[in-house]
Amino acid sequence: MSLNLPEKKRSSLSTSPARAICLSFFAVIAVGTLLLTLPYSSQDGQFTNVVDALFTATSATCVTGLVVFDTATKWSVFGQVTIIALIQIGGLGLLTITTFFNIAIGKRLGFRSMQRAQESINVDGVMDIDKMIRIVVKASFAVEGIGAAILMLVFVPKYGVHGIFISIFLAISAFCNAGFDILGFEEKFISLTNYNGSPIVIIVITFLIIIGGLGFIVWADLLDYRKTKKLMLHSRVVLLMTALLIVSGTVMFLVCEWYNPATLLDMPLGEKLSAAYFQSVSTRTAGFNTIDITQMFPVTKTFTMVLMFIGAAPGSTGGGIKVTTISVVVATVISVIRGREDTIIMKRKVAKNTVYKSLAIVMLAGLLVIIAGSVVYFSMPLSTLETGIDSMFEAVSAFATVGLSSGVTALANIPSKLVLTLTMFTGRVGPISFVLSLAANNGIKKNQIMPDGKIMVG
Amino acid sequence: MSLNLPEKKRSSLSTSPARAICLSFFAVIAVGTLLLTLPYSSQDGQFTNVVDALFTATSATCVTGLVVFDTATKWSVFGQVTIIALIQIGGLGLLTITTFFNIAIGKRLGFRSMQRAQESINVDGVMDIDKMIRIVVKASFAVEGIGAAILMLVFVPKYGVHGIFISIFLAISAFCNAGFDILGFEEKFISLTNYNGSPIVIIVITFLIIIGGLGFIVWADLLDYRKTKKLMLHSRVVLLMTALLIVSGTVMFLVCEWYNPATLLDMPLGEKLSAAYFQSVSTRTAGFNTIDITQMFPVTKTFTMVLMFIGAAPGSTGGGIKVTTISVVVATVISVIRGREDTIIMKRKVAKNTVYKSLAIVMLAGLLVIIAGSVVYFSMPLSTLETGIDSMFEAVSAFATVGLSSGVTALANIPSKLVLTLTMFTGRVGPISFVLSLAANNGIKKNQIMPDGKIMVG
Ligand SMILES: [K+]
Ligand SMILES: [K+]
């Protein structure tokens, strides 16, 4: 009896990070929904449907970027400020929470920087974590500020005072990998399609996206590089995979869409390259677009789904199953084919429980996307021919918090909207809570010892 | 230098089982293709197109059952005998080869029965393995013989002397999980659709399918049960999963197709149950059908693809990724969610390299199916509306050596036929060679020792 009590206490402690994240996201979304339903938030001064407000608030807080309305033409300045505030809270909030727990469980994870941070934390772990988070938040604001300032060079000459707001909105949205924009007054749902010829916009936005998507661990490691002259395996994998995926994505968009009259065909060579590069960066997981996603060939949509599903780095503003997860899975397959006992990445052995965790994440994510895509497919009116691939596209986009749309969201009925809302929430909050609750569990729970059992597979 | 030479010798030895299987299958298919092109093989006495003969020979040898022609109306008795011979050779051949190598690597795998067999094998391992294989082959013939004899009770009164041939053909085809039939003279491509009201046919065929799909290890274990009063983990998992999948498949077909006028709707209750049960057993991986597959609802096709992909047991006449593989993957996901260090099935710890192998099999199989399905999709004429799901269906069916057709094979052009041929071959030979070459590799190659590297996922 006296043994049971502490066990229970421990177990409730171990699930609390996950619960805390879910509840705090839920609270932010609820407030956002309330604000967005109000007449002040709309340009027409009317109340907005609760399902649509919920969808928009969830999409902003989970930094997804799927929209049922064009942001610039539907929402008032108040509504747009609400949306960008939700993006900033959702994007940085999750990043700081994961940073907090990464530090708290740092010793177990064994990251060098984490360990160093851990050493300076006092028993109740409040003081220095606060400091750490303040540094992360300040650094993020600084990066967003620089980005916004440069963007103003383009948007202030073009749109005057309103250009300042546009620049700030875009910088926050890009750094948080949210993909919302307020350029729809140029043409509804146009996103950045008009800016393929503007190197400043393309470069600033993609840099903000990439930095936001690298995640806290990589930033800390890169800042330490001058001193240590070494990068952790984690950072090397994230940086290599990011570079590899950007280049291969650019080539893929160029090859697949070169002859598509609705996207690349009529662009001059420079804009072709610029659009393909931008789309490659943005597809994992920012969700801006410089080419018309709905008009892409099915084969491009298929590859785009793969890029979206993979996503960015853990502990970043980006989504998806994460570049490290797919790296571990691919490395495991290669190791098995080569007859190795262990998963090897860059001459380092990956721990068994990291491999198991990656397997679980891929399987659960795949299952979620297939279920969500199927529900959307079967609840959609059969008006469009390609609804099969398009429904799956929308589900992947929602799960991976990308926000690119194949056009399904704009046509979606209430059940589809609710399913996509749930998918956005699960996609943003789910994997992280999942990993955190595990990390917590593993440190605390004793494993039952089981006898070995042999089983033949394949 | 003196260290390198034995290494090379070992490495060529370790890949030889896989190569032996590939080459022997290749030889059988080549002879089959030659025979089937000849005018003697066709009812119209004309030469048959090489691509179609290759497709049919591969489908028979790999016990897949996809057909470009109706077997009963296209091929002469000589052609039909060629096909059933290819099925018997392909089905039992692979089973005996895997049995051979299971015994050869038995010690490493640690199966009780295998170990016992191993003990009685002399150094060059020829004598007793020969005996073992002869027992397997004799037992298989006995089961097929009994099945054929009972089927004659139905088919001889109905079709006279031809009924004997039909019964033997069906018994072999069912035990080998091939799914070929010669009932197309009743109506082209009708399969067993006319026999939902015949309990003898339904029961005999499903029992032959189930027994064939359990695999050698389970047979040996069940035969030992009287002595040992215990079943190995492997056998318990195979038996439980087989039962579970049959029941849930039956329920799925009943629920999804109950109101489909093209399948279950107009059947009396008994036939509804009989057809759903039969289709559930046959979908993994025999490939006979008692309902019209092409007319099933998309949702049923989707679940059918899942059943096909899972398949039967390892070392059996069935295909797919295997019930044990999916069990290990699901158990790993559950273990990760529960925060366990190890994969636990039925209170037994599953070895790490079994988990890695399962992960690799699922990923490679998924990749193969997606690539094959996409190639078929993009090479098919866009005449049918549902080609997306139907192409994927056909690819899964070919990979998992099921042979159920959504109608794509009948319409397929030459590139699609060649892709499906390759998929059938890879699906039947690939996973087994793959696992065998690994098993051999693992036993021989020393693993380089790598330092641990930490990586964060999800
Ligand atoms: K996004
Ligand atoms: K079959």
Side-chain angles (χ1 to χ4, degrees):
Chain A
M1 287 292 271
S2 60
L3 260 167
N4 265 343
L5 207 65
E7 276 259 349
K8 268 185 191 162
K9 214 173 158 191
R10 274 171 186 165
S11 132
S12 81
L13 267 172
S14 72
T15 55
S16 64
R19 208 183 296 151
I21 293 173
C22 273
L23 287 177
S24 56
F25 262 75
F26 205 76
V28 173
I29 291 170
V31 173
T33 305
L34 193 71
L35 290 177
L36 290 177
T37 48
L38 299 178
Y40 311 105
S41 296
S42 288
Q43 288 195 1
D44 61 6
Q46 303 288 311
F47 279 97
T48 299
N49 180 322
V50 176
V51 173
D52 292 332
L54 172 69
F55 190 98
T56 307
T58 308
S59 180
T61 311
C62 298
V63 293
T64 310
L66 284 174
V67 286
V68 281
F69 307 113
D70 177 66
T71 311
T73 53
K74 156 73 188 177
W75 305 108
S76 65
V77 172
F78 179 79
Q80 292 176 16
V81 170
T82 304
I83 287 171
I84 201 69
L86 292 175
I87 289 172
Q88 187 70 277
I89 295 167
L92 280 191
L94 197 61
L95 198 139
T96 51
I97 294 175
T98 45
T99 304
F100 176 91
F101 286 108
N102 282 336
I103 294 170
I105 60 171
K107 206 172 164 187
R108 231 187 54 74
L109 284 174
F111 291 109
R112 270 186 293 120
S113 304
M114 301 294 104
Q115 271 174 317
R116 225 171 302 141
Q118 171 83 346
E119 281 156 21
S120 61
I121 293 171
N122 51 21
V123 182
D124 55 6
V126 174
M127 244 280 290
D128 287 273
I129 287 182
D130 263 21
K131 209 182 204 173
M132 202 87 182
I133 287 175
R134 247 179 282 137
I135 294 171
V136 171
V137 173
K138 273 185 198 163
S140 301
F141 284 159
V143 172
E144 290 173 351
I146 295 167
I150 306 175
L151 286 175
M152 286 178 203
L153 299 178
V154 173
F155 289 106
V156 171
K158 200 169 176 190
Y159 294 120
V161 180
H162 188 211
I164 299 174
F165 185 49
I166 293 175
S167 301
I168 296 171
F169 192 102
L170 281 181
I172 295 175
S173 182
F175 181 79
C176 292
N177 273 270
F180 277 84
D181 68 89
I182 47 173
L183 294 167
F185 60 85
E186 295 177 354
E187 189 187 321
K188 276 193 181 186
F189 301 108
I190 191 89
S191 193
L192 294 165
T193 314
N194 288 341
Y195 294 87
N196 285 315
S198 168
I200 294 182
V201 174
I202 297 294
I203 290 169
V204 171
I205 299 275
T206 54
F207 272 51
L208 288 169
I209 293 171
I210 293 168
I211 295 170
L214 290 178
F216 167 76
I217 297 167
V218 178
W219 303 343
D221 207 23
L222 283 174
L223 290 176
D224 279 358
Y225 183 73
R226 274 183 304 177
K227 281 178 265 166
T228 57
K229 300 286 172 204
K230 265 189 185 176
L231 288 177
M232 289 184 282
L233 174 66
H234 178 86
S235 307
R236 281 183 286 144
V237 170
V238 168
L239 292 170
L240 180 70
M241 283 295 286
T242 302
L244 207 71
L245 287 170
I246 290 173
V247 172
S248 53
T250 306
V251 173
M252 183 278 285
F253 280 112
L254 281 176
V255 170
C256 294
E257 293 291 307
W258 192 273
Y259 290 110
N260 189 341
T263 61
L264 297 186
L265 183 64
D266 296 330
M267 290 182 187
L269 181 65
E271 287 193 26
K272 272 195 178 79
L273 292 171
S274 159
Y277 157 73
F278 186 92
Q279 203 53 60
S280 172
V281 171
S282 177
T283 293
R284 293 163 326 102
T285 67
F288 297 105
N289 54 291
T290 49
I291 62 178
D292 188 346
I293 302 297
T294 58
Q295 299 294 310
M296 289 194 313
F297 292 131
V299 63
T300 322
K301 283 184 185 169
T302 309
F303 283 118
T304 302
M305 280 195 264
V306 175
L307 283 177
M308 295 197 293
F309 191 73
I310 293 173
S316 77
T317 58
I321 59 165
K322 307 297 180 316
V323 290
T324 47
T325 311
I326 195 76
S327 302
V328 169
V329 168
V330 171
T332 304
V333 173
I334 292 171
S335 293
V336 168
I337 290 174
R338 293 199 177 167
R340 280 174 172 159
E341 286 284 328
D342 288 299
T343 301
I344 307 294
I345 296 182
M346 293 177 172
K347 300 196 174 173
R348 291 285 179 282
K349 187 178 124 181
V350 177
K352 181 187 77 172
N353 70 340
T354 307
V355 177
Y356 285 17
K357 217 181 278 180
S358 303
L359 166 68
I361 289 167
V362 172
M363 291 295 150
L364 290 174
L367 198 67
L368 174 66
V369 162
I370 289 169
I371 292 174
S374 303
V375 174
V376 170
Y377 177 72
F378 288 114
S379 67
M380 286 284 290
L382 277 170
S383 50
T384 45
L385 205 137
E386 291 283 1
T387 36
I389 191 170
D390 287 348
S391 302
M392 215 46 86
F393 188 100
E394 217 77 355
V396 175
S397 180
F399 159 76
T401 71
V402 178
L404 294 177
S405 177
S406 58
V408 169
T409 299
L411 302 167
N413 52 13
I414 290 178
S416 298
K417 279 179 190 167
L418 291 177
V419 169
L420 288 173
T421 304
L422 203 64
T423 309
M424 293 192 283
F425 187 82
T426 318
R428 182 64 177 155
V429 174
I432 289 135
S433 317
F434 179 64
V435 168
L436 283 180
S437 66
L438 287 175
N441 265 336
N442 279 344
I444 291 163
K445 264 193 197 161
K446 281 273 166 281
N447 281 283
Q448 268 183 281
I449 293 159
M450 304 279 186
D452 285 5
K454 303 283 174 187
I455 192 163
M456 199 183 161
V457 294
Chain B
M1 287 290 271
S2 60
L3 260 166
N4 264 343
L5 207 65
E7 277 258 351
K8 268 183 191 164
K9 213 173 157 191
R10 273 170 187 166
S11 133
S12 80
L13 267 173
S14 72
T15 55
S16 64
R19 209 183 296 151
I21 293 175
C22 272
L23 287 177
S24 57
F25 262 75
F26 206 74
V28 173
I29 290 170
V31 173
T33 305
L34 193 73
L35 290 176
L36 289 177
T37 49
L38 299 179
Y40 311 104
S41 295
S42 289
Q43 287 195 2
D44 61 6
Q46 303 287 312
F47 278 98
T48 299
N49 180 322
V50 176
V51 173
D52 291 332
L54 172 69
F55 189 98
T56 307
T58 307
S59 181
T61 312
C62 299
V63 293
T64 310
L66 283 175
V67 286
V68 280
F69 307 113
D70 177 64
T71 310
T73 53
K74 156 73 187 177
W75 305 107
S76 65
V77 171
F78 179 80
Q80 292 176 14
V81 170
T82 303
I83 287 171
I84 201 67
L86 292 174
I87 290 171
Q88 187 71 277
I89 295 168
L92 280 190
L94 196 61
L95 197 139
T96 51
I97 294 175
T98 45
T99 303
F100 175 92
F101 286 108
N102 282 336
I103 294 171
I105 58 170
K107 206 172 163 187
R108 233 188 54 74
L109 284 174
F111 290 109
R112 270 186 292 119
S113 305
M114 301 295 104
Q115 271 174 316
R116 226 172 300 139
Q118 171 84 347
E119 282 156 18
S120 61
I121 293 170
N122 51 20
V123 182
D124 54 7
V126 173
M127 243 281 289
D128 288 273
I129 287 182
D130 263 20
K131 210 183 205 173
M132 202 88 184
I133 287 176
R134 248 179 282 137
I135 294 172
V136 171
V137 172
K138 274 185 199 164
S140 300
F141 283 158
V143 172
E144 290 174 351
I146 295 167
I150 305 176
L151 286 175
M152 286 178 204
L153 300 178
V154 173
F155 289 106
V156 171
K158 200 169 175 189
Y159 294 120
V161 180
H162 189 212
I164 299 175
F165 185 50
I166 293 175
S167 300
I168 296 171
F169 192 103
L170 281 181
I172 295 175
S173 182
F175 181 79
C176 291
N177 273 270
F180 278 84
D181 68 88
I182 46 172
L183 295 167
F185 60 86
E186 294 177 355
E187 189 187 320
K188 277 193 180 186
F189 299 110
I190 191 89
S191 193
L192 294 166
T193 314
N194 289 339
Y195 294 88
N196 285 315
S198 169
I200 294 181
V201 174
I202 298 294
I203 290 170
V204 171
I205 299 275
T206 53
F207 272 51
L208 287 169
I209 293 171
I210 294 168
I211 295 171
L214 290 177
F216 167 77
I217 296 167
V218 177
W219 303 343
D221 207 22
L222 283 174
L223 290 175
D224 279 358
Y225 183 72
R226 273 182 305 177
K227 280 179 266 167
T228 57
K229 300 285 171 205
K230 266 189 183 176
L231 287 177
M232 290 184 282
L233 174 66
H234 178 86
S235 307
R236 280 183 287 145
V237 170
V238 169
L239 292 170
L240 181 70
M241 284 294 286
T242 302
L244 209 71
L245 287 170
I246 291 174
V247 172
S248 52
T250 306
V251 172
M252 183 278 283
F253 281 113
L254 281 176
V255 170
C256 294
E257 292 292 305
W258 192 273
Y259 290 111
N260 189 339
T263 61
L264 296 186
L265 183 64
D266 296 329
M267 290 184 188
L269 181 65
E271 287 193 26
K272 272 195 177 79
L273 292 170
S274 159
Y277 158 73
F278 186 92
Q279 203 53 58
S280 172
V281 172
S282 177
T283 293
R284 296 165 321 105
T285 66
F288 298 105
N289 56 290
T290 50
I291 61 177
D292 188 346
I293 302 299
T294 58
Q295 299 294 309
M296 289 193 313
F297 292 130
V299 61
T300 321
K301 284 184 183 168
T302 309
F303 282 118
T304 301
M305 280 194 263
V306 175
L307 283 177
M308 295 197 295
F309 191 72
I310 294 172
S316 77
T317 58
I321 58 166
K322 306 296 179 320
V323 290
T324 48
T325 311
I326 195 75
S327 302
V328 169
V329 169
V330 171
T332 304
V333 173
I334 292 171
S335 293
V336 169
I337 290 174
R338 293 199 178 167
R340 280 174 172 158
E341 286 285 327
D342 288 298
T343 302
I344 307 294
I345 296 183
M346 294 178 173
K347 300 196 173 174
R348 290 285 179 280
K349 189 178 124 180
V350 177
K352 182 186 76 173
N353 70 341
T354 306
V355 176
Y356 285 18
K357 218 181 277 179
S358 303
L359 166 69
I361 289 167
V362 172
M363 291 295 150
L364 291 174
L367 199 67
L368 173 65
V369 162
I370 289 169
I371 292 173
S374 302
V375 173
V376 170
Y377 177 72
F378 289 115
S379 68
M380 286 284 290
L382 277 170
S383 51
T384 46
L385 205 136
E386 292 281 2
T387 36
I389 190 170
D390 286 348
S391 303
M392 215 46 85
F393 188 100
E394 218 75 356
V396 175
S397 180
F399 159 76
T401 71
V402 177
L404 294 177
S405 177
S406 58
V408 169
T409 299
L411 303 167
N413 53 13
I414 290 178
S416 297
K417 279 179 191 168
L418 291 177
V419 169
L420 288 173
T421 304
L422 202 64
T423 309
M424 292 193 283
F425 187 82
T426 318
R428 181 66 177 154
V429 175
I432 289 133
S433 318
F434 179 63
V435 167
L436 283 180
S437 65
L438 286 175
N441 264 336
N442 278 345
I444 290 164
K445 264 192 195 160
K446 282 274 166 282
N447 281 283
Q448 269 183 283
I449 291 159
M450 304 280 186
D452 285 5
K454 302 283 175 189
I455 191 164
M456 198 184 162
V457 294

